[in-house]
Amino acid sequence: MTKKISLIGAGQIGGTLAHLIALKELADVVLFDVAEGVAKGKALDIAQSSGVSGFNIDLKGTNNYEDIKNSDVIIITAGIPRKPGMTRDDLLGTNLKIIKQVAEGIKKNSPNAFVICITNPLDVIVMALQKYSGLPTNKVVGMAGILDTSRFKYFLSKEMKVPIKHIKSLVLGGHGDSMVPMQNHTIINNNTLSDLIKEKKISKDKLKFIIERTKNGGGEIGKLLEKGSAFYAPAASGVQMAESYLKDKKEELPCAAYLNGEYGVKNLYAGVPVIIGKSGVEKIIELDLNSEEQKNFEVSIKAVRDLLASAKKIDPKLE
Ligand code: A3D
């Protein structure tokens, strides 16, 4: 039976998600947006490309939550994106209100779906989404680590002149400034990044520059675009998570997942490697962190906790 993916938010990322899902024939697509015309227009436009691309799935645009009934996967991008000069955290108040409406729509209409959140500020919004919706924590997950890791791998591949497929890497922690690239878990042509530094194949300064550029990856694109924020790479990352769930691929992917004691963290969403298969988040992989990675991870966790405290001030129900 054809699977169904509902996309809540038909903006830049939502539209790109719909197109990628169609090209892969991953599932039928419902594009939901409060801006009804945008959802309907994009669904129709993508559907009309099937004559050229040859895909055979249904696409529908809507502003009616009943249309998301029985979704296998729901991907949320509803909200406002950053404008140049804004931090992700500046989005908190507005996007919390939006995510509450979205959570209610999902709870009422499709409570068995695997839900992937992309709306920023990611770690806190995905936590709020889980609390507002009451869905099980293994079925509510945030997309960020795949994107951060992909940016890191891209910059490394350009610097080291190595095809990106020959690089394995992992970025842990919260999304953005506090992310933690893992040098011992970054493997380039069978060598760890730590070894390559020792062998002077890449200088510490160069690596520091790449890490900073990765952390600021979204900001750099936002500044260039002037309006809106990155959407191609975020959408591709969301699709990878949906595909691993729908096809039970059990891929190991860095995602914002609910921690209940893992990494010494309780009752918080943060970026860690997880296995995504037909049951959702099937396992959280606990890596051995060296002292520097552990320290950076703790800084990242503190940043998420601080922002969560601000969210609780806005809505005490998040306690
Ligand atoms: P944009 O193109 O503005 O699309 C957002 C859409 O949400 C718009 O079409 C709105 O009409 C719609 N919307 C607003 N309120 C509601 C509502 N209550 N219900 C349903 N739809 C609504 O933004 P975008 O697609 O560029 O970005 C979407 C979100 O993703 C933003 O919060 C970004 O900050 C975030 N984002 C996250 C990452 C991560 O890596 C986590 C990367 C890039 C963007």
Side-chain angles (χ1 to χ4, degrees), residues 1-8 21 25-32 57-60 62 64-75 109-110 112-116 242 245-246:
M1 208 176 79
T2 315
K3 304 286 186 187
K4 173 171 173 179
I5 299 181
S6 293
L7 306 171
I8 314 291
I21 293 163
E25 293 187 314
L26 198 54
D28 289 337
V29 174
V30 171
L31 256 175
F32 174 100
I57 56 136
D58 280 339
L59 284 131
K60 179 186 174 118
T62 185
N64 181 352
Y65 267 112
E66 287 193 3
D67 290 323
I68 74 164
K69 268 198 165 56
N70 299 324
S71 298
D72 296 284
V73 174
I74 297 176
I75 309 180
N109 294 287
S110 209
N112 297 320
F114 179 57
V115 182
I116 301 166
Y245 172 78
L246 288 174

Side-chain angles (χ1 to χ4, degrees), residues 34-93:
V34 282
E36 183 184 6
V38 173
K40 288 191 164 163
K42 288 194 180 181
L44 186 58
D45 189 13
I46 296 168
Q48 289 173 357
S49 75
S50 62
V52 181
S53 303
F55 56 79
N56 186 22
I57 56 136
D58 280 339
L59 284 131
K60 179 186 174 118
T62 185
N63 65 346
N64 181 352
Y65 267 112
E66 287 193 3
D67 290 323
I68 74 164
K69 268 198 165 56
N70 299 324
S71 298
D72 296 284
V73 174
I74 297 176
I75 309 180
I76 301 167
T77 59
I80 52 163
R82 284 193 286 171
K83 295 194 179 74
M86 276 173 107
T87 67
R88 292 179 178 87
D89 300 357
D90 292 337
L91 307 173
L92 184 63

Side-chain angles (χ1 to χ4, degrees), residues 8-15 32-35 38 42 65 76-82 88 91 95 97-99 101-102 117-122 143-145 147-148 151 175 228-231 234:
I8 314 291
Q12 297 282 57
I13 304 178
F32 174 100
D33 203 295
V34 282
V38 173
K42 288 194 180 181
Y65 267 112
I76 301 167
T77 59
I80 52 163
R82 284 193 286 171
R88 292 179 178 87
L91 307 173
N95 285 353
K97 277 191 209 130
I98 292 174
I99 223 63
Q101 287 173 10
V102 173
C117 181
I118 301 185
T119 302
N120 270 321
L122 195 268
M143 186 296 292
L147 173 63
D148 291 332
R151 285 177 172 154
H175 180 43
S229 59
F231 53 99

Side-chain angles (χ1 to χ4, degrees), residues 112-249:
N112 297 320
F114 179 57
V115 182
I116 301 166
C117 181
I118 301 185
T119 302
N120 270 321
L122 195 268
D123 305 275
V124 171
I125 291 291
V126 69
M127 178 109 188
L129 173 72
Q130 191 278 324
K131 287 209 186 249
Y132 288 142
S133 67
L135 264 61
T137 52
N138 63 314
K139 297 297 261 322
V140 179
V141 67
M143 186 296 292
I146 299 176
L147 173 63
D148 291 332
T149 306
S150 182
R151 285 177 172 154
F152 188 50
K153 280 171 34 175
Y154 170 70
F155 294 138
L156 283 173
S157 84
K158 287 287 151 196
E159 173 60 29
M160 310 285 291
K161 300 189 177 44
V162 168
I164 201 159
K165 281 198 168 165
H166 296 185
I167 303 181
K168 272 182 64 180
S169 185
L170 189 60
V171 169
L172 285 196
H175 180 43
D177 301 342
S178 63
M179 56 160 233
V180 185
M182 305 286 287
Q183 293 182 16
N184 285 327
H185 296 273
T186 299
I187 315 282
I188 303 176
N189 280 340
N190 297 324
N191 299 299
T192 67
L193 192 49
S194 308
D195 287 342
L196 292 169
I197 298 166
K198 274 186 216 140
E199 290 163 19
K200 302 207 182 328
K201 298 265 169 51
I202 181 167
S203 71
K204 279 193 175 165
D205 279 354
K206 215 35 210 192
L207 181 63
K208 202 168 156 217
F209 174 77
I210 287 178
I211 290 174
E212 283 312 308
R213 195 169 176 202
T214 306
K215 284 185 182 176
N216 188 38
E220 183 179 352
I221 291 173
K223 214 167 157 192
L224 288 166
L225 294 177
E226 290 182 14
K227 238 172 43 189
S229 59
F231 53 99
Y232 291 113
S237 307
V239 169
Q240 188 178 26
M241 293 166 72
E243 193 166 10
S244 191
Y245 172 78
L246 288 174
K247 297 186 176 168
D248 193 25
K249 287 171 85 176

